[in-house]
């Protein structure tokens, strides 16, 4: 897939970086909410979102795994750091997401 570059506020940025910044801003609004993160190795971790950075690295507190029989080594872990490159999905509670605001923000980014 080819990404194009544009000038935003005098800086040359790619459409890909605009897209990532949109989600980074969105995830920052969910700090303190419960999320479920599915990793590429099929491990699903539920926890409270403590922080997220621009690389989509997540820090979770009060974690639990959805399949403790398959991952017993995770039972004693209470907090974790998840590298963004190993995240497959982030599941969010529907009542904590403002879908209209996210759609409006994505429209604004596509017109820049």
């Amino acid at each position: 897939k080819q990404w194009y570059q544009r000038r935003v506020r005098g800086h040359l940025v790619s459409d890909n970086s605009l897209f990532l910044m949109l989600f980074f801003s969105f995830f920052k609004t969910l700090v303190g909410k419960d999320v479920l993160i599915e990793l590429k190795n099929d491990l699903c971790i539920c926890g409270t979102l403590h922080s997220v950075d621009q690389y989509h690295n997540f820090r979770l507190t009060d974690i639990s795994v959805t399949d403790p029989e398959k991952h017993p080594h995770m039972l004693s872990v209470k907090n974790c750091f998840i590298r963004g490159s190993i995240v497959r999905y982030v599941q969010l509670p529907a009542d904590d997401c403002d879908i209209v605001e996210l759609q409006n923000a994505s429209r604004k980014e596509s017109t820049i």
Side-chain angles (χ1 to χ4, degrees), residues 8-9 13-29 52-56 102 105-106 109 112:
V8 176
R9 296 181 191 102
V13 295
S14 68
D15 285 348
N16 187 27
S17 65
L18 292 173
F19 181 73
L20 293 176
M21 288 304 293
L22 173 66
F23 280 100
F24 169 57
S25 299
F26 176 69
F27 285 132
K28 279 177 46 174
T29 66
V52 61
D53 65 16
Q54 69 270 20
Y55 302 107
H56 294 154
L102 185 59
S106 62
E109 291 293 335
I112 293 178

Side-chain angles (χ1 to χ4, degrees), residues 26-82:
F26 176 69
F27 285 132
K28 279 177 46 174
T29 66
L30 297 171
V31 169
K33 309 285 185 183
D34 289 333
V35 296
L36 184 138
I37 299 180
E38 181 180 336
L39 307 182
K40 291 180 180 177
N41 66 355
D42 296 325
L43 173 62
C44 293
I45 302 174
C46 301
T48 304
L49 183 61
H50 181 267
S51 63
V52 61
D53 65 16
Q54 69 270 20
Y55 302 107
H56 294 154
N57 298 319
F58 295 91
R59 187 173 303 277
L60 299 179
T61 58
D62 302 322
I63 70 162
S64 62
V65 293
T66 57
D67 191 3
E69 293 82 26
K70 190 174 177 182
H71 305 283
H73 58 282
M74 292 295 293
L75 292 175
S76 62
V77 179
K78 299 299 176 202
N79 303 313
C80 70
F81 176 85
I82 301 171

Side-chain angles (χ1 to χ4, degrees), residues 74-100:
M74 292 295 293
L75 292 175
S76 62
V77 179
K78 299 299 176 202
N79 303 313
C80 70
F81 176 85
I82 301 171
R83 185 180 168 122
S85 64
I86 65 165
V87 173
R88 182 180 294 153
Y89 298 113
V90 178
Q91 297 179 17
L92 310 166
D95 54 344
D96 288 335
C97 298
D98 188 354
I99 301 299
V100 175

